[in-house]
């Protein structure tokens, strides 16, 4: 199979057993179970995709994340999945376009080799009202890991992995409080606070995969929290 063909393929064959619950989530979860913010019925919004990439590191299963540059116009300084808007060359946004966009953006932002990623599922499209992005989360297994790092400091401040054991640890969980009053799930990382859209996706994946551990939802942290 060519690298280009692989970018158009979704397969959960050969996954490590610990990822089976996530593959099951992709097959069964409904949009409203993931978020109350769903794409407008009018079809408006900028089509985009993110790569939710699972790998195995020194501390076991892990997730690839990055910190966006503080100079960006939207979501500056936030910790996020690699990803971005679909380009015309990515193809049909209703079929393989999001797969290609997620892998292309991840390569551009983190330097990873897309040929080492197995796309094993796609979550329902969600919506980010503040930036009008319609986002397709693409699930990937880092079958053949490659070196990663910030390719362009104008876009990416840092690239790193976080063990799933850290994300599921109740000591690292909290509720973020936006200055406008919005509250949502958050994760306390060594690099800073994971909140917003990305934290919401992580929170729901952990929950529906059966990995979530009881945590103190009354513990609130401001968005400027730092380790």
């Amino acid at each position: 199979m060519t690298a280009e063909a692989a970018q158009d393929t979704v397969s959960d064959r050969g996954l490590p057993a610990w990822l089976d619950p996530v593959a099951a989530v992709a097959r069964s979860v409904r949009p409203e179970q993931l978020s109350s913010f769903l794409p407008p019925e009018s079809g408006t919004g900028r089509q985009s995709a993110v790569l939710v990439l699972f790998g195995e590191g020194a501390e076991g299963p892990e997730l690839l994340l990055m910190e966006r540059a503080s100079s960006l116009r939207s979501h500056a300084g936030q910790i996020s999945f690699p990803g971005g808007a679909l380009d015309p060359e990515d193809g049909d946004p209703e079929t393989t376009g999001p797969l290609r966009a997620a892998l292309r953006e991840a390569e551009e932002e983190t330097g990873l080799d897309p040929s080492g990623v197995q796309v094993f599922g796609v979550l329902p499209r969600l919506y980010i009202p503040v930036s009008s992005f319609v986002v397709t989360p693409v699930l990937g297994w880092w079958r053949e890991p490659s070196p990663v790092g910030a390719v362009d400091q104008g876009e990416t401040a840092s690239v790193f992995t976080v063990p799933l054991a850290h994300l599921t640890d109740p000591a690292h969980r909290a509720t973020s409080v936006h200055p406008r009053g919005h509250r949502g799930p958050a994760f306390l990382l060594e690099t800073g606070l994971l909140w917003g859209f990305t934290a919401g996706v992580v929170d729901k994946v952990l929950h529906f995969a059966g990995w979530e551990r009881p945590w103190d939802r009354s513990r609130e942290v401001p968005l400027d929290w730092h380790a």
Side-chain angles (χ1 to χ4, degrees):
M1 180 183 296
T2 65
E4 183 172 314
Q7 294 182 20
D8 295 341
T9 303
V10 178
S11 173
D12 58 9
R13 295 183 61 183
L15 291 179
W18 61 266
L19 266 180
D20 287 343
V22 184
V25 172
R27 291 191 296 267
S28 62
V29 74
R30 301 187 304 275
E32 61 272 17
Q33 290 179 297
L34 294 178
S35 175
S36 58
F37 298 111
L38 302 180
E41 293 183 4
S42 64
T44 57
R46 192 174 184 190
Q47 296 294 328
S48 62
V50 295
L51 181 63
V52 185
L53 185 59
F54 296 88
E56 287 211 50
E59 299 181 57
E62 60 187 14
L63 196 60
L64 180 70
L65 296 171
M66 53 174 267
E67 180 183 351
R68 294 169 58 82
S70 59
S71 58
L72 292 175
R73 286 184 297 176
S74 63
H75 309 292
Q78 288 190 25
I79 296 173
S80 69
F81 302 120
L86 269 67
D87 286 346
E89 58 266 28
D90 293 322
D92 187 356
E94 299 295 331
T95 56
T96 59
L99 279 62
R100 287 172 170 259
L103 292 171
R104 175 183 54 75
E105 286 281 346
E107 181 179 16
E108 292 176 359
E109 293 173 332
T110 74
L112 70 76
D113 182 354
S115 67
V117 175
Q118 176 183 340
V119 173
F120 67 89
V122 178
L123 297 180
R125 281 184 286 192
L126 305 174
Y127 189 58
I128 304 180
V130 68
S131 55
S132 299
F133 276 114
V134 175
V135 186
T136 299
V138 176
L139 305 178
W141 158 236
W142 212 353
R143 180 172 36 80
E144 298 177 9
S146 52
V148 292
V151 174
D152 181 353
Q153 291 288 339
E155 290 192 4
T156 308
S158 63
V159 179
F160 54 93
T161 57
V162 179
L164 292 182
H166 184 103
L167 295 170
T168 58
D169 186 340
H172 299 146
R173 303 216 53 182
T175 296
S176 63
V177 182
H178 193 279
R180 295 182 180 177
H182 174 71
R183 286 167 165 75
F187 299 82
L188 313 179
L189 309 182
E190 293 181 1
T191 50
L193 185 69
L194 173 59
W195 65 280
F197 173 84
T198 304
V201 173
V202 173
D203 171 69
K204 294 302 185 182
V205 168
L206 295 181
H207 173 74
F208 288 110
W211 295 342
E212 182 181 38
R213 296 163 59 188
W215 57 281
D216 183 4
R217 296 174 186 271
S218 68
R219 180 189 184 188
E220 298 183 345
V221 294
L223 299 189
D224 60 357
W225 179 91
H226 290 283

